[in-house]
Amino acid sequence: MNIGVVVFPGSNCDHDCEYVFKAVLGQDVTMVWHKETSVAGLDAVILPGGFSYGDYLRTGAIARFSPVMHAVKGFAFEGGLVLGICNGFQILLEAGLLPGVMLRNKSLHFICQDIFVRVENGATPFTSACRPGQVLKIPIAHADGSYYTDPVTLAGLQANAQVIFRYCDAEGRVTPEANPNGSLDNIAGIRNAQGNVLGMMPHPERCAESVLGNEDGQLILASMVEFLKKRLPKMVGA
Amino acid sequence: MKAKIHVTLKQGILDPQGKAIEHALDSLGFKKTTNVRVGKYMELDLDQTDRAKAEAEVKAMCEKLLANTIIEEYRFELQ
Amino acid sequence: MKAKIHVTLKQGILDPQGKAIEHALDSLGFKKTTNVRVGKYMELDLDQTDRAKAEAEVKAMCEKLLANTIIEEYRFELQ
Amino acid sequence: MPLITKDLIAQHNLTGDEYQKIIAILGREPNLTELGMFSVMWSEHCSYKSSRIHLKKLPTTGPRVVQGPGENAGAVDIGEGLCVVFKMESHNHPSFIEPYQGAATGVGGILRDVFTMGARPIALLDSLRFGELSAAKNRHLMKGVVAGIAGYGNCMGVPTVGGEIVFNDIYSQNPLVNVFCLGIAEKDKIFRGTAAGVGNPVIYFGSKTGRDGIHGATMASDSFDDESEQKRPTVQVGDPFQEKLLLEACLELMAGDLLVGIQDMGAAGLTSSSCEMASRAGNGIELDLTHVPRREPGMTPYELMLSESQERMLMVAKAGKEEECIAICRKWDLDVAVVGTVTGDGILRVKDQGKVVAEIPAKALADDGPRYDRPYMPPSYQDMLTNLNYDIIPDVKDANAALLSLLESPTIASKRWVYQQYDHMVRTNTTVRPGSDAAVVRIKGTNKAVAMTVDCNSRYCLLHPYEGARIAVAEAARNLACAGAEPIGLTDCLNFGNPERPDIMWQFVMAVEGIKDACEFLRVPVVSGNVSFYNETNGLSIYPTPMLGMVGLIEQADQATTQWFKAEADDIILLGTAREDLGGSEYLKVVHAREQGSPPFLNMDAEQALQECVLALIRGGLVQSAHDCSDGGLAVALAESCMSGPGRPMGAVVKLAPGRLRKDAVLFGESQSRVVLSTKPAHRQAILDRAERLGVPAAVIGVVGGDRLVVSLGNEQVAATVIDIPATALYDRWAFAIERTLKNE
Ligand SMILES: Nc1ncnc2c1ncn2[C@@H]1O[C@H](COP(=O)(O)OP(=O)(O)O)[C@@H](O)[C@H]1O
Ligand SMILES: [Mg+2]
């Protein structure tokens, strides 16, 4: 597979994503400069975490106008797999590829720690390796991760099983105490209606190796690779 | 021409920053302060003498970039 | 009484946000925009009918909490 | 040109003699711009005029040293063609004036020092000192500083993996903000700040120049009084986004064959970067200020040469490569301009609009500043501090209560509230996160990892600067050993009061001697450092605080060890010996409100044996956890081992033989050279044998398990339980103490 990792000015998890797909999952990775106007030839696109454009004004607000985002939209529209992690999720929201906005964490602080999420939908290209309801331990690191949307949109997300991850405790209970940032409905990750675009605040690339003490993140990234292999049978083994 | 732009949260959208400030004011002894809301204020210079054009331009800036109209509203003056 | 408070960076203090926004506006095609400066705008309600007292109070809030007077200046209106 | 008056000279913090020296160098009176340039370069901050003759004594060489002091940062070989590049810096005064921006720009500065060497920064640590949190002002300072470090480091994508914070009212008027940064580079691709090659272009890139922080360097070399808070010099504002672009641009520039030398514009901005690069190469530089990108109109040469605007760099390119350099800078949206050329005459010549506005031998600015051998003498009160009659201090009655108060004293309490605000995982290298004796980051592409720690017990240093400094070195190395790392290099950040006072100078000289002796003994080279003098307000000086940042190497990343207990039924073994070391302890301060006595006794042979032993045991795979005893002594170390891990707090049952020692000395004394290990019972004997062979006292003192920490004192026959607390209660006190204090607003 050829996984594209977009590099915006201020991206800082770009190398981490590159490393995990290459060194851990053995895939090819192409770094895509934000001024590129095409993502042709890529099997999936990752919008990595970081502080694109310093997160000035609003997180993701300026990055969405990068030339590459036009191509990413086209790619998503044609069914290409797009994963936005943290800042990447924020960019997807600002770009309108996913509905809603990110508000400041309720503590108003940046939070870096392990949290738990429950896999609410295991039948997606991003979660097929997980059991439905499986609890993943996975780190977050953000200041603006409190997901918000209007009630109608929220109802739609719920009805279409578009809420993929919810913050929960170690036993999988979705409680207010397990919500680290005040996110609506404990939302940690959502996908679009077609199902090929996922945004998530937690960082799977930070917990995909035993030396880091946690491999839960691999389930998500490996799901993507598996999905792509099945979708592109002619490329397998090529 | 100079544009002065206010971007504020829409009514009903939670404003954790405003809340925190209210709380802090309270503990500083300003007990009677309520409904603190925090927004953004921006100033910029436009090299544009036609008022109508300037107006259209600033509106476009706000819609596209300066405000996220899902949660924010904006208003501006030109001088 | 309602207070409307503007907190802005002092002259000469670097405004990284303003700079980034200016750059973004430029690449969005708003080429003639310059001197973008970003500040804060706050509204709050005061349970105080005496104008002079309210004025003194808001001034104190700004000095103590709302503005960082080392790099920011503030102004406010009461309504 | 204004006449140079006595007042003007004084305002520039230059003495009459120094001014005469300037005249002698120039053969004429300086103009205002030149006076300003001399003033910043000859400030204490830039010239090290009071410290240099003493710093020279530090050991700076060793088989691994790639770059010692004198460059932007030190570099140490870690094998496989790689080296680590590291340094620590203070930003104390700016952080007191504006905590957020002061701390943020401190992070920005140290990051630039590291990546200007061609290294990619991979870890930050912060070492902070504030007054007690009972005062609102101190809470405000701490919140601002922590937010500033987070704001800058997080945005840069460099993890802040550890640090330390100590609270003491002596720092109320003079908090300390020291930041350590470590980067990784290929050993033969280290860049240096040199302006070699006459005719090579000098290129400015990064942010535009504004009127920020003019005279920051002289400010950092000045004491505070009540008016300083009012003075409000133009505060430097950091732009981490710009710095991130600068970082990527630098690494891209360095990957090509384009550069001769490069240096960041730190304190004293354009002046220091140009004259230091020129001086190192024995060359001159001719600058034309007309081309310097600027943020504000009407800036004078004086302002341009002295501005401390952040996120700026100066590079000397190979002739003919300027277009390539400029293209890379443009790619990263940076301002860039050719502002000068390297010359062969050794002169830093500054032109503006065709006119020469300054002309000074570069070496005179950078290296020929004044040197002082300032008088030093122990203060008259020193004996009063150390003489403590322990008979008047009653032994502990309620050890449970004493332990709990220690655990919730902010100096010992968990720093979770702080490090949760720091992204400590970005770059996916952090294998031991904040919360253990040392932080560990693995080095991708190898099996190796490096461990880092920052340490200094400034109360020990107050009571005995020489012993205190030796202990700081020993503790840093011990923290590394507990992580399974062998120390390979040290950086320091020496925070002291006014060096013109003989008592302060004495503290400084003694501390440097202490660092020297300990480093020589342990064979740890000092490869970089920083001195911050004049940390005093209204004549009250901080405790001497020679902060140390030590780096260790772990050959097998998966052998990195943490401090917390891992499993029920593991044996707990104590290495080392307890003595009656209550002097200067956290216990005396917290429980008896005394900061007195002699610091703990340190025997370097015993320390070295202990560290070798711990390392050997860890490398032999015999150890489950290792934690050194420091603040709060054995009882606190045991409690921390029970509850500092990521899982549920665990219990332990421990029995200690006090011998003739006081109870409080056994529990809370801070005897050096001690480590608490836990191990699978199967390895118990191997550990005891190994320790015996290495001459390290070792005793099985208990077992992990249950849900309480129970400690009893006695001999084989009779023992009395002195501590018995549920592990969760320990945890609640310790984990949330700082949060609780801050929430009281
Ligand atoms: N300012 C800080 N920033 C990040 N981590 C910190 C900070 N202060 C303390 N820590 C972390 O908390 C843990 C305990 O610190 P400390 O008690 O100073 O350790 P030690 O006594 O072993 O040197 C360490 O892992 C340290 O890195
Ligand atoms: Mg320790």
Side-chain angles (χ1 to χ4, degrees):
Chain A
M1 295 303 142
N2 188 358
I3 311 286
V5 176
V6 178
V7 184
F8 297 100
S11 292
N12 64 31
C13 303
D14 46 346
H15 294 149
D16 302 354
C17 291
E18 177 189 24
Y19 182 82
V20 78
F21 276 107
K22 256 194 201 157
V24 181
L25 296 165
Q27 305 302 312
D28 293 332
V29 175
T30 305
M31 301 308 270
V32 185
W33 184 238
H34 71 116
K35 285 182 182 159
E36 304 274 321
T37 50
S38 159
V39 293
L42 297 177
D43 297 307
V45 171
I46 312 292
L47 304 187
F51 287 70
S52 57
Y53 294 94
D55 270 357
Y56 294 137
L57 188 62
R58 293 183 311 277
T59 58
I62 300 179
R64 79 174 249 232
F65 292 110
S66 278
V68 74
M69 283 308 292
H70 192 69
V72 170
K73 274 188 183 171
F75 181 78
F77 193 70
E78 284 162 18
L81 276 198
V82 178
L83 170 63
I85 302 168
C86 198
N87 195 231
F89 186 9
Q90 294 160 340
I91 295 169
L92 290 173
L93 294 173
E94 283 281 345
L97 280 165
L98 291 171
V101 294
M102 281 301 170
L103 303 176
R104 191 53 33 138
N105 294 345
K106 69 178 174 214
S107 67
L108 299 175
H109 287 149
F110 189 97
I111 306 172
C112 177
Q113 65 172 91
D114 283 329
I115 49 87
F116 296 97
V117 296
R118 193 170 75 190
V119 179
E120 302 290 11
N121 182 344
T124 80
F126 307 93
T127 52
S128 56
C130 310
R131 281 173 280 110
Q134 183 166 355
V135 175
L136 308 179
K137 181 166 97 174
I138 185 165
I140 55 166
H142 59 247
D144 302 82
S146 177
Y147 180 79
Y148 175 83
T149 191
D150 62 86
V152 178
T153 308
L154 178 64
L157 289 173
Q158 291 163 338
N160 297 325
Q162 283 174 255
V163 177
I164 308 302
F165 303 113
R166 279 201 174 84
Y167 298 112
C168 65
D169 63 17
E171 279 75 45
R173 287 179 297 246
V174 176
T175 64
E177 297 74 48
N179 184 340
N181 52 27
S183 201
L184 191 68
D185 197 25
N186 281 40
I187 284 175
I190 57 172
R191 64 167 167 83
N192 63 348
Q194 296 94 297
N196 59 320
V197 177
L198 174 74
M200 61 189 297
M201 289 314 289
H203 286 271
E205 82 281 13
R206 292 189 181 186
C207 55
E209 293 173 77
S210 60
V211 67
L212 300 176
N214 181 358
E215 295 176 274
D216 284 4
Q218 250 200 47
L219 292 173
I220 294 165
L221 307 171
S223 294
M224 290 177 69
V225 173
E226 276 314 301
F227 174 85
L228 293 172
K229 277 187 190 154
K230 278 192 208 129
R231 187 161 79 171
L232 300 169
K234 61 179 186 297
M235 295 191 55
V236 174
Chain B
M1 213 172 277
K2 187 174 217 72
K4 299 185 166 185
I5 306 165
H6 289 83
V7 177
T8 48
L9 282 174
K10 285 183 180 166
Q11 270 309 327
I13 303 282
L14 199 69
D15 179 5
Q17 223 183 329
K19 265 220 179 121
I21 291 177
E22 196 167 317
H23 187 80
L25 285 173
D26 191 81
S27 59
L28 280 176
F30 302 102
K31 301 275 172 209
K32 302 183 207 157
T33 321
T34 48
N35 294 326
V36 182
R37 305 282 288 174
V38 183
K40 283 179 213 134
Y41 171 68
M42 289 173 261
E43 290 185 357
L44 49 85
D45 291 340
L46 273 178
D47 184 14
Q48 175 65 271
T49 44
D50 182 322
R51 200 175 182 86
K53 278 194 193 147
E55 197 130 338
E57 226 164 88
V58 176
K59 186 165 189 306
M61 291 179 198
C62 289
E63 290 281 338
K64 274 194 164 173
L65 178 69
L66 303 181
N68 182 334
T69 52
I70 300 178
I71 47 166
E72 294 170 329
E73 52 200 14
Y74 63 89
R75 61 193 157 81
F76 62 87
E77 306 136 40
L78 293 172
Q79 272 172 4
Chain C
M1 212 173 277
K2 192 174 211 71
K4 300 186 166 185
I5 305 164
H6 288 84
V7 177
T8 50
L9 283 172
K10 285 183 183 168
Q11 268 307 329
I13 299 277
L14 178 71
D15 180 2
Q17 253 205 111
K19 211 171 65 180
I21 294 172
E22 190 169 320
H23 193 82
L25 286 172
D26 188 85
S27 53
L28 279 176
F30 301 103
K31 299 277 173 208
K32 298 179 201 159
T33 323
T34 48
N35 294 325
V36 181
R37 304 281 286 176
V38 182
K40 271 180 250 153
Y41 171 68
M42 287 170 269
E43 291 184 357
L44 50 85
D45 291 342
L46 271 179
D47 185 13
Q48 175 65 268
T49 44
D50 182 322
R51 202 177 178 82
K53 277 194 193 149
E55 195 131 338
E57 226 164 87
V58 176
K59 185 166 188 303
M61 292 179 196
C62 288
E63 291 281 339
K64 280 195 174 164
L65 182 72
L66 303 182
N68 177 352
T69 51
I70 293 162
I71 52 174
E72 294 170 331
E73 54 200 10
Y74 62 90
R75 63 194 154 82
F76 61 88
E77 305 136 41
L78 293 173
Q79 272 172 4
Chain D
M1 275 293 147
L3 273 178
I4 306 297
T5 61
K6 273 209 163 111
D7 272 359
L8 205 54
I9 295 167
Q11 274 166 28
H12 282 79
N13 264 345
L14 289 163
T15 66
D17 285 350
E18 287 169 350
Y19 187 68
Q20 288 312 314
K21 190 167 172 187
I22 293 173
I23 292 180
I25 286 168
L26 295 178
R28 59 178 167 83
E29 299 241 352
N31 62 35
L32 181 61
T33 304
E34 290 167 336
L35 183 73
M37 291 164 67
F38 272 110
S39 147
V40 287
M41 289 310 298
W42 286 12
S43 69
E44 187 66 60
H45 185 76
C46 292
S47 73
Y48 292 82
K49 56 187 166 192
S50 307
S51 57
R52 212 178 260 211
I53 61 161
H54 301 288
L55 296 177
K56 275 219 202 95
K57 302 175 210 158
L58 295 172
T60 60
T61 54
R64 288 185 185 273
V65 176
V66 176
Q67 176 66 56
E71 276 290 334
N72 290 299
V76 176
D77 194 342
I78 59 164
E80 298 189 40
L82 297 173
C83 65
V84 286
V85 175
F86 57 91
K87 180 167 196 283
M88 182 154 47
E89 271 265 359
S90 65
H91 231 206
N92 306 336
H93 287 82
S95 303
F96 185 49
I97 293 175
E98 212 306 283
Y100 185 99
Q101 294 298 343
T105 51
V107 174
I110 191 66
L111 283 164
R112 282 195 298 286
D113 275 334
V114 167
F115 68 75
T116 199
M117 302 280 297
R120 180 177 281 283
I122 58 168
L124 290 164
L125 286 85
D126 60 332
S127 180
L128 312 176
R129 294 288 181 279
F130 301 105
E132 304 284 354
L133 289 177
S134 43
K137 168 90 185 176
N138 298 334
R139 295 195 294 270
H140 166 78
L141 284 169
M142 166 155 123
K143 286 180 183 173
V145 164
V146 169
I149 293 170
Y152 209 101
N154 296 354
C155 184
M156 282 297 289
V158 180
T160 303
V161 296
E164 57 146 30
I165 310 186
V166 170
F167 301 90
N168 191 304
D169 267 334
I170 200 73
Y171 299 103
S172 289
Q173 298 296 311
N174 205 311
L176 301 184
V177 177
N178 294 179
V179 185
F180 164 102
C181 178
L182 178 137
I184 184 114
E186 284 177 47
K187 189 175 136 189
D188 52 9
K189 293 206 181 131
I190 292 276
F191 281 79
R192 292 182 173 84
T194 170
V198 174
N200 280 333
V202 177
I203 303 176
Y204 169 118
F205 65 114
S207 286
K208 293 182 168 64
T209 299
R211 290 192 174 92
D212 323 74
I214 289 175
H215 274 316
T218 35
M219 176 181 80
S221 309
D222 203 357
S223 301
F224 267 122
D225 53 37
D226 286 335
E227 272 171 27
S228 321
E229 257 185 287
Q230 258 73 60
K231 271 190 212 155
R232 290 176 188 167
T234 332
V235 171
Q236 308 155 34
V237 169
D239 182 352
F241 170 57
Q242 186 77 20
E243 176 118 327
K244 170 75 173 154
L245 302 182
L246 195 59
L247 161 67
E248 298 302 337
C250 276
L251 295 182
E252 195 168 325
L253 284 162
M254 290 161 166
D257 182 27
L258 306 173
L259 302 187
V260 171
I262 180 165
Q263 176 153 341
D264 75 300
M265 293 189 218
L270 203 44
T271 300
S272 66
S273 52
S274 54
C275 75
E276 286 175 8
M277 290 227 279
S279 180
R280 283 196 197 105
N283 279 332
I285 281 183
E286 183 167 308
L287 286 179
D288 188 348
L289 297 180
T290 320
H291 306 299
V292 170
R294 33 191 111 186
R295 206 168 78 222
E296 296 175 65
M299 290 186 68
T300 63
Y302 180 95
E303 291 171 322
L304 288 164
M305 290 308 290
L306 265 55
S307 162
E308 295 192 356
S309 286
Q310 300 289 297
E311 293 95 22
R312 301 180 303 160
M313 289 273 195
L314 203 62
M315 61 182 159
V316 175
K318 296 192 169 160
K321 301 284 191 181
E322 40 282 70
E323 285 316 314
E324 273 174 79
C325 292
I326 289 171
I328 291 174
C329 293
R330 295 251 160 85
K331 171 185 165 190
W332 290 99
D333 289 329
L334 299 172
D335 272 296
V336 53
V338 177
V339 294
T341 358
V342 177
T343 61
D345 61 4
I347 305 286
L348 174 58
R349 188 174 296 107
V350 185
K351 288 184 173 174
D352 191 31
Q353 314 288 347
K355 275 202 332 243
V356 173
V357 295
E359 209 165 7
I360 309 175
K363 187 162 173 292
L365 282 172
D367 296 309
D368 297 344
R371 299 275 150 90
Y372 296 121
D373 185 356
R374 298 203 187 271
Y376 54 91
M377 210 175 46
S380 51
Y381 54 79
Q382 196 66 30
D383 286 346
M384 264 167 48
L385 287 173
T386 33
N387 289 341
L388 178 59
N389 177 4
Y390 290 95
D391 295 342
I392 62 168
I393 299 172
D395 200 346
V396 65
K397 287 211 190 61
D398 186 346
N400 283 329
L403 176 58
L404 289 172
S405 17
L406 277 168
L407 290 177
E408 73 177 351
S409 78
T411 295
I412 290 184
S414 165
K415 307 303 184 300
R416 212 180 67 118
W417 182 87
V418 175
Y419 59 72
Q420 269 187 357
Q421 295 184 54
Y422 301 152
D423 189 339
H424 47 261
M425 303 183 217
V426 62
R427 302 206 65 77
T428 59
N429 295 324
T430 315
T431 61
V432 177
R433 300 176 186 179
S436 195
D437 280 326
V440 180
V441 298
R442 56 103 177 246
I443 305 298
K444 283 183 182 139
T446 72
N447 285 328
K448 297 169 194 280
V450 291
M452 291 155 284
T453 177
V454 284
D455 285 289
C456 173
N457 186 318
S458 47
R459 189 167 40 243
Y460 295 172
C461 293
L462 171 77
L463 300 174
H464 200 310
Y466 174 80
E467 287 298 327
R470 282 199 324 139
I471 290 175
V473 174
E475 183 185 345
R478 199 185 315 137
N479 279 329
L480 295 179
C482 287
E486 171 195 351
I488 55 170
L490 182 84
T491 181
D492 63 55
C493 190
L494 309 176
N495 307 269
F496 287 79
N498 179 350
E500 294 160 45
R501 282 175 41 185
D503 54 333
I504 302 295
M505 202 56 211
W506 176 78
Q507 294 176 334
F508 181 79
V509 174
M510 290 301 118
V512 171
E513 292 286 341
I515 295 173
K516 164 185 172 281
D517 286 352
C519 282
E520 280 176 352
F521 193 97
L522 295 174
R523 290 210 194 82
V524 181
V526 180
V527 298
S528 57
N530 176 244
V531 178
S532 170
F533 277 130
Y534 297 100
N535 289 290
E536 67 168 32
T537 301
N538 295 330
L540 182 67
S541 172
I542 59 161
Y543 289 173
T545 314
M547 192 62 64
L548 304 180
M550 202 182 283
V551 177
L553 183 61
I554 303 176
E555 291 291 346
Q556 292 294 327
D558 55 7
Q559 283 183 345
T561 302
T562 49
Q563 70 180 32
W564 47 86
F565 293 147
K566 302 293 182 308
E568 301 258 329
D570 281 354
D571 280 329
I572 304 171
I573 295 178
L574 175 65
L575 302 181
T577 321
R579 304 169 74 260
E580 194 140 291
D581 286 314
L582 283 170
S585 66
E586 197 65 22
Y587 165 78
L588 274 196
K589 170 172 185 264
V590 170
V591 177
H592 296 283
R594 282 178 192 272
E595 302 191 62
Q596 263 181 298
S598 289
F601 172 80
L602 173 67
N603 174 324
M604 270 298 179
D605 289 307
E607 180 69 43
Q608 193 173 38
L610 170 94
Q611 293 183 19
E612 273 172 19
C613 178
V614 171
L615 261 182
L617 297 174
I618 288 176
R619 287 179 178 158
L622 302 176
V623 170
Q624 292 266 74
S625 72
H627 186 22
D628 81 311
C629 293
S630 57
D631 296 350
L634 179 58
V636 166
L638 286 168
E640 286 174 344
S641 299
C642 285
M643 66 190 174
S644 55
R648 246 173 235 294
M650 309 182 88
V653 179
V654 172
K655 192 161 123 188
L656 301 171
R660 296 231 188 95
L661 295 180
R662 296 165 58 122
K663 237 194 316 183
D664 52 7
V666 176
L667 294 171
F668 307 117
E670 297 179 2
S671 292
Q672 295 296 299
S673 316
R674 293 186 300 163
V675 166
V676 174
L677 302 177
S678 71
T679 180
K680 293 265 157 248
H683 297 317
R684 179 200 316 159
Q685 202 50 49
I687 291 180
L688 296 176
D689 292 348
R690 190 70 173 255
E692 190 176 353
R693 253 181 289 141
L694 292 167
V696 176
V700 179
I701 58 168
V703 57
V704 179
D707 51 13
R708 312 175 73 81
L709 174 63
V710 182
V711 180
S712 52
L713 302 184
N715 52 33
E716 256 108 85
Q717 287 82 43
V718 276
T721 299
V722 289
I723 289 174
D724 185 358
I725 307 175
T728 49
L730 292 171
Y731 180 78
D732 286 342
R733 281 289 183 105
W734 170 83
F736 307 106
I738 289 183
E739 249 158 298
R740 268 196 298 270
T741 317
L742 295 177
K743 278 222 174 93
N744 276 341
E745 314 251 354

